[in-house]
C-alpha cells in the first residue's frame, strides 16, 4: 500500500508539504501498480530555497519485485518522475484547479480520480462552467513508463 506524508489543513498547493505529499503518493501508487513492489513508502525531502528535492527515500519493506536496492529504486524515481519544485508538481497534478472542497471531506488519499464540471457565478464574468480533474495524485498514468524503466 502506498504511503504519503500527512497533510496540514489549510496549506495551499505552493507549500511543499502539500504538493510533495501528493507527488509521493502518485509515485508510490504508480510503482506498486506497475509491479515494482507489493507496497512502498516514498518520502521526498525539500529544503527552503532549493527547487529540487534534497533526498528521495524509498522503503519497499523487503517486498520488491525488481533486482534493485531501495536506494537504486529511489534514483530511478528521480530520473523517471523528476520530482522538482512545488510549482512543477502543481502543474503536473493540476493542484491550482478548484479541487479542495472535494478533498475537505473523506480525506485526500484513497479517492477515485474523476473529472467533474463545476459551475461558477460571477457578477463580473457571468456564469462559467469549468471541467476539473479531482484527485490527480491517485491516477495510474505512469504505469507503462514505470514498467519500461524497470524492465517489467
Amino acid at each position: 500500500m502506498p504511503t504519503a506524508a500527512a497533510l496540514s489543513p489549510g496549506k495551499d498547493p505552493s507549500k511543499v508539504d502539500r504538493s510533495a505529499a501528493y507527488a509521493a503518493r502518485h509515485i508510490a501508487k504508480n510503482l506498486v501498480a506497475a509491479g515494482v513492489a507489493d507496497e512502498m513508502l516514498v518520502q521526498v525531502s525539500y529544503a527552503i530555497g532549493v527547487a529540487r528535492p534534497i533526498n528521495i527515500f524509498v522503503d519497499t519493506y523487503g517486498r520488491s519485485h525488481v533486482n534493485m536496492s531501495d536506494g537504486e529504486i529511489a534514483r530511478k524515481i528521480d530520473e523517471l518522475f523528476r520530482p522538482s519544485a512545488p510549482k512543477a508538481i502543481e502543474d503536473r497534478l493540476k493542484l491550482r484547479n478548484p479541487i479542495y472542497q472535494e478533498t475537505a471531506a473523506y480525506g485526500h488519499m484513497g479517492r477515485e480520480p474523476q473529472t467533474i464540471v463545476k459551475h461558477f457565478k460571477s457578477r463580473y464574468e457571468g456564469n462559467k462552467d469549468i471541467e476539473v480533474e479531482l484527485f490527480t495524485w491517485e491516477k495510474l498514468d505512469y504505469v507503462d513508463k514505470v514498467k519500461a524503466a524497470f524492465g517489467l
Side-chain angles (χ1 to χ4, degrees):
M1 163 175 280
T3 306
L7 296 173
S8 301
K11 295 286 186 178
D12 69 61
S14 71
K15 305 302 181 225
V16 76
D17 54 340
R18 180 175 217 144
S19 58
Y22 292 145
R25 171 73 176 188
H26 184 246
I27 291 166
K29 279 190 63 101
N30 278 273
L31 267 71
V32 168
V36 173
D38 291 331
E39 61 182 313
M40 170 179 295
L41 169 73
V42 174
Q43 294 177 338
V44 184
S45 303
Y46 284 84
I48 294 173
V50 180
R52 299 224 352 104
I54 59 171
N55 189 48
I56 299 173
F57 173 79
V58 171
D59 189 350
T60 60
Y61 306 103
R63 302 184 65 192
S64 174
H65 298 293
V66 295
N67 192 21
M68 300 172 86
S69 70
D70 290 350
E72 291 169 325
I73 292 171
R75 283 189 288 283
K76 187 68 82 171
I77 285 171
D78 189 36
E79 294 169 14
L80 185 60
F81 286 88
R82 302 298 299 163
S84 54
K87 176 67 173 131
I89 295 170
E90 284 177 37
D91 293 344
R92 183 165 51 96
L93 296 179
K94 302 174 185 170
L95 300 179
R96 282 286 174 182
N97 287 339
I99 62 173
Y100 297 104
Q101 182 175 2
E102 289 78 13
T103 65
Y106 309 111
H108 299 254
M109 308 299 179
R111 307 285 295 276
E112 277 298 313
Q114 57 183 294
T115 301
I116 64 169
V117 175
K118 288 194 157 196
H119 309 285
F120 295 95
K121 294 180 181 178
S122 167
R123 65 181 178 189
Y124 304 107
E125 296 182 32
N127 295 340
K128 190 181 244 183
D129 292 339
I130 301 174
E131 193 171 273
V132 179
E133 265 188 276
L134 302 175
F135 311 109
T136 55
W137 51 90
E138 299 289 344
K139 290 171 58 174
L140 299 175
D141 54 347
Y142 271 68
V143 171
D144 292 335
K145 293 175 187 175
V146 170
K147 285 182 178 182
F150 284 88
L152 299 171

